[in-house]
Amino acid sequence: MTDQSVTVAPIGHITSPFKQKFAIPRQPNLANASGQVVLSADFTDMSVFKGLEGFSHVWLLFLFHENAQRGWKPTVKAPRLGGNATMGVFASRSTHRPNGIGMSVVENKGVSETVEGIVLNVNGVDLLDGTPIIDIKPYLPYADCISTATDNLANYAPIPAREVKISEHVKAQLHQASLRHQDLPELIVSVLRQDARPAYKHKLNDDPKTYWVTLYNYDIGFCVSDATVIVTEMKVL
């Protein structure tokens, strides 16, 4: 068969709390993060979503748009292997892929019309704000959930589940911020408990360096002390 080139055009983009790649959960539904798929002007007919209310979850197919220029390699570094060991690109969900296509299964929270246009509200997102969406498909439990499926993840490092503490002076700021973003307190905890630091740093239970995570329009500073993530600073961008 002759190789063929295929042109794929985004159908819209997603808005999410994640303004930078650092600290985005490595898989969907690891943090209770909400988002909206905003359809482009070519998709202004609400009928494109007819029947979608019957599905609790959907697949989002998207483009790793910020990595497109970096190309790809046959092997990639795997965070679950400590950040330095490698595995084949097709045995991973690395963002550096031959065609830069990703997929996430997210909770369907319904369709609405806003000033931006038609949007699909979703929850459990792991996508950078502004990520181009190339397709939406219903999640089918009878076909997509295979009870006999296996993986090798048990042999890898587990996803961290650290305790998260918020400094008293940050709590006051966070209370004010939550008046606009009600999910922010929970989101901070669910993101940071997974230890947002580079994988090779996870073995350090005392790390006084301040790391910064951007959620919505806030910079959240944290360090690790006695195996606990401590939120030490919060700045408005």
Side-chain angles (χ1 to χ4, degrees):
M1 180 178 178
T2 303
D3 291 340
Q4 298 179 344
S5 295
V6 177
T7 300
V8 176
I11 62 171
H13 68 277
I14 194 167
T15 63
S16 84
F18 305 114
K19 307 303 180 182
Q20 58 179 184
K21 289 182 286 185
F22 179 66
I24 293 180
R26 295 191 179 97
Q27 298 296 339
N29 299 294
L30 292 181
N32 192 29
S34 299
Q36 291 185 322
V37 177
V38 183
L39 296 187
S40 66
D42 292 333
F43 302 91
T44 57
D45 189 338
M46 284 287 285
S47 65
V48 297
F49 287 122
K50 183 180 179 180
L52 194 66
E53 68 277 3
F55 300 92
S56 65
H57 291 73
V58 296
W59 288 104
L60 300 180
L61 275 66
F62 60 91
L63 297 175
F64 291 113
H65 62 301
E66 290 208 348
N67 292 334
Q69 302 302 319
R70 298 181 61 180
W72 69 281
K73 295 180 180 179
T75 59
V76 296
K77 292 183 178 180
R80 292 287 295 275
L81 295 181
N84 290 316
T86 62
M87 63 194 315
V89 64
F90 294 141
S92 78
R93 294 195 176 187
S94 168
T95 60
H96 305 286
R97 315 193 66 80
N99 287 307
I101 297 174
M103 50 189 263
S104 288
V105 61
V106 295
E107 185 181 5
N108 173 17
K109 301 298 287 185
V111 179
S112 57
E113 291 188 81
T114 71
V115 293
E116 291 190 85
I118 299 175
V119 303
L120 173 64
N121 302 289
V122 293
N123 198 49
V125 303
D126 61 339
L127 303 181
L128 183 69
D129 185 57
T131 293
I133 303 296
I134 59 175
D135 204 359
I136 302 168
K137 299 178 185 292
Y139 177 88
L140 305 178
Y142 80 89
D144 297 338
C145 182
I146 302 174
S147 61
T148 57
T150 61
D151 61 60
N152 201 33
L153 293 179
N155 298 325
Y156 304 159
I159 296 174
R162 293 186 181 272
E163 181 182 3
V164 178
K165 292 184 178 180
I166 300 176
S167 301
E168 288 300 321
H169 67 281
V170 175
K171 287 182 180 179
Q173 295 175 277
L174 187 55
H175 174 72
Q176 285 299 118
S178 66
L179 297 178
R180 179 178 181 185
H181 301 288
Q182 296 181 3
D183 62 331
L184 184 58
E186 181 184 355
L187 183 59
I188 289 173
V189 172
S190 61
V191 167
L192 295 186
R193 73 188 304 268
Q194 299 171 50
D195 200 340
R197 297 176 299 166
Y200 69 90
K201 293 273 193 177
H202 287 179
K203 60 185 177 182
L204 299 178
N205 287 328
D206 286 288
D207 187 356
K209 177 181 176 179
T210 298
Y211 298 86
W212 294 91
V213 173
T214 303
L215 299 172
Y216 291 116
N217 59 322
Y218 299 95
D219 261 353
I220 311 299
F222 71 94
C223 63
V224 175
S225 177
D226 195 22
T228 299
V229 176
I230 310 294
V231 179
T232 58
E233 298 184 63
M234 182 173 177
K235 298 179 181 179
V236 180
L237 297 177

